[in-house]
Amino acid sequence: MTATLTNATATATNTGGRRTPWAMLGHDAIGSTTSEEALQRGGLDWDVKLRSLYVSLPGDKRVRLEDRKAAVRSTDQAVMGIVSTNYVPFQNRQAFSFTDSLVENGQAEYDVVGQMRGGKTGFTVMRLPETLDVAGDRHEQFMIVRTAHDGSAAITAAPIINRIACTNMVSWSIKSAKTKWTIRHVSNLQEKLAEAQLAIRTTLDYGKKFANEAEVMMRIPVSDEFVVQTLEDVLPHRPRTEAMIESVMQFYRESEFNGFTGTAWGAYNALTEYTQHGRDTRSPASMLYNMLDGGFATVRNNFASALLA
């Protein structure tokens, strides 16, 4: 096994100018003391209102839809989505206010706030002060909270683990730990405090279990042939799959940021590095979605499971 990398601070200098997708997509919220301040810095301090919908019929006739409303942004009247009349808008300030106590107690700090899909999805990323050590290799812990204004999703939270040496999001689904959960719509202070503490405990629990499994993966020796075969098994069969595997293997053998060639952990890091930094054809929003919910998340989870099997 190649010796582990010497960790440096998470700066653009030691990672070749790399930035996380959420940092590229959102706005710097570091130093914000409240979610309201963070939202203002990110331009998300607006409300969503429900407006009646009408259908235009021949003869200049207009008919109002009785069972649908338009969710409209207050600042520019942009339509966020078409929702049922039972839909109750939950504003950005309501969705993220439960995190304020985490900042006040020193359990987390605001890192980035941003939006996707033209504001239909808003998010805030919280940085935890505790870092994880995997064989001397430091990893940052984050929690991302997302809300939607088109009725497509509830308020959700998820842990993110970022490997500092290469600015890779290296989290994957772990059966014994939650990797995504719903945040309740709460209003009074006691409920907000309880929801915040549950969220931070769940995030920290994931971090501990992630570090344990990463250590296991680090102790598993693998051959190049095994890595290639496993990639063939988990990647979707498309015209460029073979070229993708070659690129992943190049990161595995040659990347200055890997440091664990010959192990399952090195193979896993090669895949995450290629997916996040080896292709420049996607927008930050597309990258973040794929890391959390999309195709990369599926491939990453399947690859980790196969390497640990």
Side-chain angles (χ1 to χ4, degrees):
M1 178 174 66
T2 304
T4 183
L5 293 170
T6 301
N7 262 303
T9 56
T11 63
T13 301
N14 70 353
T15 56
R18 293 177 174 182
R19 300 174 67 203
T20 61
W22 57 89
M24 290 188 288
L25 177 63
H27 298 266
D28 183 358
I30 296 173
S32 299
T33 57
T34 65
S35 56
E36 185 174 355
E37 180 184 349
L39 291 172
Q40 289 174 350
R41 291 172 65 173
L44 273 75
D45 53 336
W46 38 261
D47 288 342
V48 171
K49 306 291 186 182
L50 297 186
R51 298 285 184 259
S52 296
L53 285 173
Y54 294 84
V55 175
S56 295
L57 299 176
D60 295 327
K61 185 177 180 180
R62 297 176 70 210
V63 176
R64 188 173 71 177
L65 298 182
E66 299 295 337
D67 60 347
R68 290 289 183 271
K69 294 279 188 179
V72 177
R73 184 164 53 202
S74 60
T75 52
D76 59 0
Q77 306 307 306
V79 177
M80 298 289 98
I82 307 302
V83 298
S84 73
T85 53
N86 296 324
Y87 178 76
V88 178
F90 207 63
Q91 312 301 345
N92 287 328
R93 64 179 181 277
Q94 295 174 302
F96 302 122
S97 63
F98 80 97
T99 58
D100 287 345
S101 64
L102 299 178
V103 177
E104 185 177 350
N105 295 333
Q107 295 171 291
E109 64 178 16
Y110 295 108
D111 187 65
V112 169
V113 63
Q115 56 187 312
M116 297 184 286
R117 303 190 300 139
K120 294 177 182 178
T121 298
F123 69 89
T124 184
V125 178
M126 313 290 296
R127 182 195 299 267
L128 279 61
E130 300 90 347
T131 58
L132 300 172
D133 185 295
V134 180
D137 201 18
R138 284 197 303 124
H139 294 68
E140 297 172 300
Q141 297 186 85
F142 296 89
M143 177 178 69
I144 184 169
V145 183
R146 289 179 286 172
T147 189
H149 297 294
D150 60 356
S152 63
I155 304 169
T156 60
I160 297 176
I161 306 296
N162 182 61
R163 186 178 174 222
I164 296 176
C166 51
T167 318
N168 282 0
M169 195 207 93
V170 290
S171 321
W172 70 83
S173 290
I174 297 174
K175 291 182 180 180
S176 61
K178 287 186 177 181
T179 51
K180 184 178 179 181
W181 62 95
T182 300
I183 301 297
R184 294 183 302 127
H185 291 196
V186 296
S187 55
N188 69 60
L189 180 59
Q190 288 304 116
E191 288 181 326
K192 288 182 180 179
L193 291 173
E195 200 68 20
Q197 292 308 306
L198 177 60
I200 203 71
R201 286 198 306 271
T202 305
T203 303
L204 289 170
D205 176 68
Y206 175 85
K208 291 177 182 178
K209 291 173 179 175
F210 162 85
N212 290 338
E213 291 213 351
E215 292 276 3
V216 171
M217 200 179 287
M218 194 177 299
R219 294 193 294 268
I220 299 174
V222 295
S223 65
D224 285 13
E225 293 76 15
F226 175 82
V227 177
V228 170
Q229 183 59 58
T230 306
L231 287 169
E232 290 177 350
D233 291 341
V234 302
L235 288 171
H237 294 167
R238 294 172 181 166
R240 295 197 70 256
T241 298
E242 185 175 345
M244 183 183 297
I245 291 174
E246 291 177 0
S247 296
V248 173
M249 293 305 296
Q250 184 174 0
F251 275 101
Y252 176 61
R253 299 187 188 104
E254 302 175 12
S255 172
E256 62 180 302
F257 301 118
N258 194 315
F260 298 98
T261 305
T263 70
W265 182 237
Y268 180 77
N269 273 278
L271 176 65
T272 60
E273 188 174 3
Y274 165 75
T275 308
Q276 295 171 53
H277 305 294
R279 297 185 295 169
D280 57 4
T281 58
R282 296 169 300 158
S283 68
S286 174
M287 289 176 63
L288 183 58
Y289 169 76
N290 270 284
M291 288 165 58
L292 296 170
D293 305 305
F296 168 60
T298 300
V299 169
R300 175 193 67 203
N301 293 337
N302 291 341
F303 192 50
S305 296
L307 290 170
L308 285 163

